Amino acid sequence: MTFKDFSFVPELLDGLDAMGFEKPTPIQEQAIPLILDNQDLIACAQTGTGKTAAFVLPILHKIFSSDKRHLNTLIIAPTRELALQIDQQVEGLSYFLGVSSIPVYGGGDGETFVQQKRALEQGAELVIATPGRLIALLNSGQIKFNDLQHLVLDEADRMLDMGFFNDILKIISYLPAKRQTILFSATMPPNIRKLASKILTDPKQVNIAISKPAEGINQQAYVVYENQKKNLLKNILSNPDFKSIIVFASTKENVKTLEKELVYQDFEVKGFHSDLDQSEREKIMIGFKSKKTRILIGTDILSRGIDVEGIDLVINYDTPSDPEDYIHRIGRTARAESQGTAITFINEKDQRKFFRIESLIGKDIPKLEIPESLGKGPEYDPSKNRGDVKKKVFNKQKKNFKKRRPAENKNTPS
Ligand code: ADP
Ligand code: MG
């Protein structure tokens, strides 16, 4: 199957050519015809499978020949990084179509808010927004989506994790009831089904997700004591074969400490966390994408959706608590069927967590010997240390939930 089989307008095929997309990915193959056919849709496929183009392509095709182009499509994404990324793909794919898009997100100053409002009033065709800022704009009463044809919720699972359930319903209360609604998600937990039943009409479903990491990822783990991790990390980072690396840590404090330590050792490294402002974050992402920065250290705010080509190594400095997060994190490497390595450090108390990850993906991940110079590591015996894992995970989720909400609200001018 090729993109020509969708009978896209030639200008769109030119955009695909320019982006170097040769044939549709499985989710694109299945979702595109349904979206072209104006169906409501729930689509579920793991990270890195090309979900963005799966909705952007048919929508661009439709906007191109629509007579209701002004504020034709609203795409909601959980974070500004994702909104910007979607906007970039839209710009690339729509290059020859003359369809305009605008990302709308919080975090800028008052002037940005005014600029975004003006751009919306002047007739962007496609709006890509984060929930907080969008609600502020809708509340201001000056933006009306009266002619809206398409509503897309991207990374819906992530949005619900971040506590946006009611915000989404609020946004929808401002939208025309007659519209096509499309929901994309990497996972399909019950709360997504609940949301879908509220906002979609008679939806078709496409399901390609079997919570499994992409084939091209070489997964490995080291069983270590907490105090061995730093040296093991430096040891791995010293391997020049790895050219572009993401390191995940569990807290922003860990991110900052590791960043300092590695800078001190002359590694080209940058930390990415929620204390940085918007322009700092963008600068860091540009440096990393252009391969000027070899190593990016971040918390899970990096793990979903962020799309950088050619990452060859992902290191989980801390074992992720949520097995789904593991899949999202390691999905940062081996994008679109290339090769990559994912290495996880497992300390004694994280063994049980790692065992749950192995259960989810349905296989044992090879445990490598730590270098002799670091001493001996612990045994891998996840049947020990079962005790408090559940409670801790629960508490951490509660904490994250509280942390995330005010951060997004802060960006919403009142
Ligand atoms: P997801 O949203 O499923 O995590 P993305 O939409 O971000 O995945 O796509 C992942 C990567 O694959 C991006 O770099 C994108 O440009 C690329 N990609 C998407 N579709 C195709 C395709 N048909 N051919 C080649 N590359 C593609
Ligand atoms: Mg995506």
Side-chain angles (χ1 to χ4, degrees):
M1 175 162 219
T2 74
F3 285 110
K4 292 211 175 73
D5 297 324
F6 299 121
S7 57
F8 284 147
V9 293
E11 288 84 349
L12 192 50
L13 294 174
D14 291 344
L16 281 162
D17 236 18
M19 296 280 281
F21 291 10
E22 282 167 13
K23 61 182 184 51
T25 65
I27 187 76
Q28 291 163 2
E29 249 179 54
Q30 295 196 32
I32 289 172
L34 295 167
I35 298 175
L36 286 173
D37 194 29
N38 300 320
Q39 307 278 348
D40 277 12
L41 175 68
I42 304 177
C44 182
Q46 71 189 71
T47 356
T49 50
K51 292 193 289 299
T52 316
F55 60 81
V56 167
L57 288 167
I59 288 176
L60 285 176
H61 172 87
K62 288 204 272 175
I63 294 181
F64 189 63
S65 40
S66 168
D67 54 358
K68 291 183 176 153
R69 291 176 62 148
H70 178 68
L71 301 183
N72 174 291
T73 295
L74 174 62
I75 299 167
I76 308 179
T79 65
R80 46 197 156 182
E81 281 79 22
L82 279 162
L84 282 169
Q85 250 174 43
I86 297 169
D87 186 54
Q88 279 164 7
Q89 279 214 36
V90 170
E91 277 191 6
L93 292 169
S94 69
Y95 190 81
F96 301 97
L97 288 171
V99 168
S100 68
S101 64
I102 174 175
V104 165
Y105 49 84
D109 47 19
E111 200 171 318
T112 332
F113 185 70
V114 174
Q115 274 169 9
Q116 290 174 357
K117 212 154 82 176
R118 196 178 311 130
L120 286 170
E121 285 159 3
Q122 287 173 356
E125 285 141 350
L126 221 139
V127 179
I128 304 149
T130 55
R133 176 54 61 99
L134 183 60
I135 287 188
L137 281 160
L138 288 166
N139 281 342
S140 80
Q142 277 150 329
I143 307 302
K144 295 209 166 55
F145 285 95
N146 292 344
D147 281 339
L148 187 85
Q149 307 295 307
H150 313 104
L151 170 68
V152 181
L153 303 178
D154 193 22
E155 307 258 351
D157 50 352
R158 180 64 166 166
M159 287 203 271
L160 297 194
D161 282 354
M162 291 172 75
F164 285 135
F165 194 97
N166 289 325
D167 286 352
I168 291 170
L169 295 184
K170 171 96 187 159
I171 290 167
I172 287 175
S173 73
Y174 283 100
L175 306 179
K178 192 177 165 315
R179 55 159 202 269
Q180 182 180 14
T181 307
I182 298 161
L183 184 153
F184 273 80
S185 193
T187 59
M188 218 27 82
N191 57 357
I192 295 282
R193 303 221 165 267
K194 188 172 147 206
L195 179 72
S197 71
K198 281 187 190 292
I199 65 171
L200 284 87
T201 312
D202 218 355
K204 296 274 186 271
Q205 294 202 22
V206 170
N207 200 331
I208 299 190
I210 21 157
S211 283
K212 289 217 160 50
E215 289 293 325
I217 307 176
N218 175 15
Q219 301 176 67
Q220 308 168 344
Y222 287 96
V223 183
V224 290
Y225 294 111
E226 185 63 32
N227 64 14
Q228 294 173 317
K229 282 182 179 177
K230 258 182 207 151
N231 285 329
L232 179 59
L233 179 66
K234 289 175 200 163
N235 190 293
I236 296 170
L237 296 179
S238 305
N239 180 347
D241 290 347
F242 297 121
K243 305 265 188 298
S244 184
I245 305 167
I246 293 189
V247 180
F248 285 107
S250 56
T251 63
K252 68 181 170 212
E253 282 68 37
N254 280 1
V255 171
K256 290 179 190 170
T257 317
L258 284 174
E259 182 187 6
K260 264 196 212 127
E261 190 124 343
L262 292 173
V263 166
Y264 184 69
Q265 308 250 330
D266 284 338
F267 287 104
E268 297 146 45
V269 59
K270 284 276 187 291
F272 190 97
H273 49 75
S274 52
D275 283 353
L276 299 169
D277 70 30
Q278 171 65 6
S279 66
E280 289 170 318
R281 287 196 206 181
E282 270 167 41
K283 230 193 262 159
I284 291 172
M285 284 313 294
I286 289 167
F288 186 62
K289 280 189 182 179
S290 68
K291 311 286 180 238
K292 270 201 204 93
T293 304
R294 177 172 172 248
I295 307 163
L296 195 61
I297 309 181
T299 54
D300 274 309
I301 63 171
L302 269 178
S303 75
R304 302 217 188 195
I306 290 298
D307 172 38
V308 177
E309 302 258 319
I311 295 170
D312 39 27
L313 175 65
V314 169
I315 297 176
N316 291 311
Y317 187 83
D318 300 307
T319 311
S321 298
D322 178 348
E324 296 279 355
D325 280 342
Y326 174 82
I327 290 168
H328 286 295
R329 287 188 188 184
I330 72 168
R332 299 311 89 212
T333 182
R335 305 286 277 173
E337 295 173 23
S338 61
Q339 290 288 317
T341 302
I343 299 176
T344 302
F345 294 178
I346 316 161
N347 69 17
E348 278 181 296
K349 80 183 189 324
D350 288 341
Q351 291 194 7
R352 189 70 200 161
K353 283 186 204 165
F354 195 72
F355 181 71
R356 285 197 295 131
I357 292 169
E358 290 181 310
S359 316
L360 176 73
I361 61 178
K363 68 173 190 193
D364 289 343
I365 295 164
K367 320 287 178 305
L368 307 187
E369 290 284 328
I370 57 177
E372 233 166 70
S373 60
L374 303 183
K376 247 184 111 50
E379 292 285 307
Y380 186 60
D381 182 4
S383 63
K384 282 198 308 196
N385 312 309
R386 301 180 90 102
D388 279 320
V389 175
K390 248 202 165 127
K391 204 165 135 206
K392 271 192 207 132
V393 170
F394 180 71
N395 285 337
K396 189 171 155 253
Q397 278 170 350
K398 252 187 5 199
K399 221 168 69 201
N400 282 344
F401 179 76
K402 281 196 201 121
K403 265 198 321 235
R404 280 174 186 154
R405 278 312 308 250
E408 182 72 20
N409 286 343
K410 200 174 64 197
N411 300 328
T412 310
S414 47

